[in-house]
Amino acid sequence: MNLNSFIFLLIYYSFARYLPVSYSPLSFSVVKPFRGYICKHIFEKCGTNVNIESNVFFGSGVNIKIGNNSTIGINAYIGGIGSGGRLTIGNNVMMARDVVILTKTHNFENVYQPMNTQGGENFSVTIGNDVWIGARVIILPDVVIGDGVIIGAGAVVTKDIPAYSVVGGVPAHLIKMRC
């Protein structure tokens, strides 16, 4: 991370994160573009008209790509702490509040060593274009979500989801196809 990114990360976590939601009358239509501008200097790639809502946590923002017209909802936790794994979010993605996207796991293979000392592994999560992710969805590491997918509120995504699927549940399972 370079000094410029670090300064914008500091600005984000010191106060921009706590500004009102984009649709609040108190945002005066400047909060959404302001947070988007900050994230352009933090993320690996940040498209146009991106909406990062209030209180989103994205670690250092390293290895995060987000496409045009996409929203990360209120209180979302995305990526991993530090350099974590890679997260790619496509264009026109709607993400509701309290979504958790994990890109890092703990190792646990050695039963003679405490798990918290075994380190972890970084993975990628890829979210296609035109995806709707409901409130409180959890997306686990090493998952690819296809274009046009709808994920119902509260679902836990543990494996890849084919394009134009509607999924829900714990673990998430196919409800129907959109086409």
Side-chain angles (χ1 to χ4, degrees):
M1 173 178 291
N2 62 37
L3 180 60
N4 187 47
S5 295
F6 178 77
I7 290 168
F8 280 97
L9 195 64
L10 190 62
I11 292 168
Y12 177 79
Y13 283 114
S14 353
F15 77 93
R17 174 183 187 182
Y18 304 105
L19 293 172
V21 294
S22 63
Y23 51 83
S24 166
L26 299 175
S27 74
F28 303 107
S29 299
V30 297
V31 170
K32 176 181 168 183
F34 179 64
R35 277 197 283 252
Y37 176 78
I38 289 172
C39 288
K40 281 186 187 298
H41 296 278
I42 298 171
F43 294 169
E44 184 176 325
K45 175 188 175 273
C46 186
T48 59
N49 197 35
V50 167
N51 185 15
I52 310 297
E53 282 293 359
S54 179
N55 205 33
V56 170
F57 178 84
F58 47 73
S60 66
V62 173
N63 298 330
I64 294 177
K65 296 179 183 179
I66 184 169
N68 301 327
N69 308 310
S70 291
T71 296
I72 299 175
I74 301 165
N75 297 326
Y77 177 99
I78 63 171
I81 295 179
S83 57
R86 301 191 72 69
L87 173 61
T88 303
I89 300 170
N91 297 319
N92 304 303
V93 173
M94 299 184 295
M95 191 181 301
R97 68 179 305 127
D98 301 316
V99 169
V100 175
I101 302 173
L102 303 173
T103 59
K104 191 169 188 171
T105 64
H106 289 284
N107 293 332
F108 55 87
E109 289 78 17
N110 185 346
V111 296
Y112 302 105
Q113 180 182 358
M115 287 180 278
N116 64 355
T117 64
Q118 293 186 42
E121 290 185 60
N122 295 322
F123 291 92
S124 295
V125 171
T126 302
I127 300 170
N129 298 315
D130 190 30
V131 173
W132 179 10
I133 303 172
R136 297 196 172 177
V137 166
I138 299 172
I139 300 172
L140 297 182
D142 201 23
V143 168
V144 175
I145 298 170
D147 292 343
V149 168
I150 299 172
I151 305 172
V156 177
V157 179
T158 61
K159 59 185 179 182
D160 294 355
I161 302 174
Y164 304 103
S165 301
V166 177
V167 300
V170 179
H173 60 275
L174 180 67
I175 297 171
K176 68 178 187 175
M177 296 300 292
R178 291 182 60 204
C179 57

